[in-house]
Amino acid sequence: MSEPTAAAAPGATAPDGAGAADEQLAFDVADFPGGVHAALEAVLMVVDEPVTTAALASALEQPADDVRRALAELEAGYAGQQRGFTLREVGGGWRMYSRHEYAPVVERFVLDGQQARLTQASLETLAVIAYRQPVSRSRVAAVRGVNVDGVIRTLLGRGLVEEVGHDEESTATLYGTTSYFLERLGLQSIDELPALAPYLPEVDMLDEIAEGGRG
């Protein structure tokens, strides 16, 4: 007679912690107080670029049609409540934007902020963009060795850098300096910048640097 198979003890985990990461990330959007709508807001508050419906649906583990319907409902709700922000689908993706009626307030805030001096981090990031443009956010971060999301937002807000396209392979947004940047430095073109480029890593080395920093 064969012996009965021992049942797993309550709360037991897989050997060597296998599957622990999956269990930690597992969730059910329905368990959140605000459901799908609040979960979408949480994700959209941390993105810097428009996110597709498919990507949002994957993150929430919800059907794409349900996510699209929830996005439309959020947009309509913001309009009905006369909130200072709105949700728009631009370039195939969704992102939060300030409502155009409040442009004068936003403009004054941005212009007031331009009176402050740039921080060392902003100056370093601006230099990398100036010499390596067009360059992606990840490559700028690879050169500086730190996250540059907030700094780039500041430079965008001050009109010193702008989006100039997308990388053909990674689709990452590429950044470059603006005419306002040249005006502030008294230059006619980027070609008049001092010869600093030779002291920066070559472009084809930046991905290796980035990989090393994540190791």
Side-chain angles (χ1 to χ4, degrees):
M1 177 181 298
S2 61
E3 296 182 0
T5 302
T13 59
D16 299 325
D22 291 339
E23 292 177 4
Q24 184 178 4
L25 295 176
F27 60 84
D28 186 345
V29 173
D31 293 336
F32 296 147
V36 174
H37 295 77
L40 285 170
E41 288 179 321
V43 173
L44 291 168
M45 287 297 291
V46 299
V47 301
D48 293 313
E49 299 178 356
V51 184
T52 65
T53 302
L56 291 169
S58 176
L60 272 62
E61 298 183 346
Q62 297 292 310
D65 288 343
D66 291 351
V67 170
R68 179 172 288 279
R69 185 180 309 110
L71 289 166
E73 290 170 353
L74 284 174
E75 185 177 15
Y78 298 150
Q81 298 169 23
Q82 297 184 332
R83 304 300 294 269
F85 56 88
T86 186
L87 179 61
R88 297 206 309 265
E89 185 176 17
V90 179
W94 295 83
R95 185 179 178 185
M96 295 284 194
Y97 292 89
S98 296
R99 195 172 295 279
H100 69 86
E101 292 92 336
Y102 299 96
V105 178
V106 175
E107 181 178 1
R108 173 175 293 179
F109 173 77
V110 172
L111 291 177
D112 287 347
Q114 290 181 2
Q115 304 306 314
R117 298 174 67 89
L118 289 175
T119 63
Q120 184 66 29
S122 296
L123 289 172
E124 292 175 1
T125 301
L126 182 57
V128 174
I129 295 175
Y131 283 100
R132 288 302 185 191
Q133 61 185 306
V135 63
S136 67
R137 191 183 305 242
S138 62
R139 291 193 169 185
V140 175
V143 173
R144 294 205 55 233
V146 295
N147 184 288
V148 297
D149 291 355
V151 177
I152 288 183
R153 281 197 294 270
T154 296
L155 296 175
L156 286 168
R158 296 198 180 191
L160 295 169
V161 302
E162 61 185 350
E163 297 180 3
V164 295
H166 292 82
D167 184 89
E168 294 183 357
E169 295 183 2
S170 66
T171 72
T173 299
L174 299 177
Y175 296 92
T177 52
T178 64
S179 57
Y180 177 68
F181 166 80
L182 294 176
E183 176 187 337
R184 297 294 294 176
L185 267 66
L187 304 176
Q188 293 295 327
S189 71
I190 293 299
D191 295 334
E192 296 182 13
L193 284 171
L196 176 64
Y199 298 97
L200 296 175
E202 294 298 328
V203 173
D204 56 4
M205 294 174 57
L206 296 179
D207 286 332
E208 296 181 14
I209 296 174
E211 289 297 328
R214 288 193 289 267

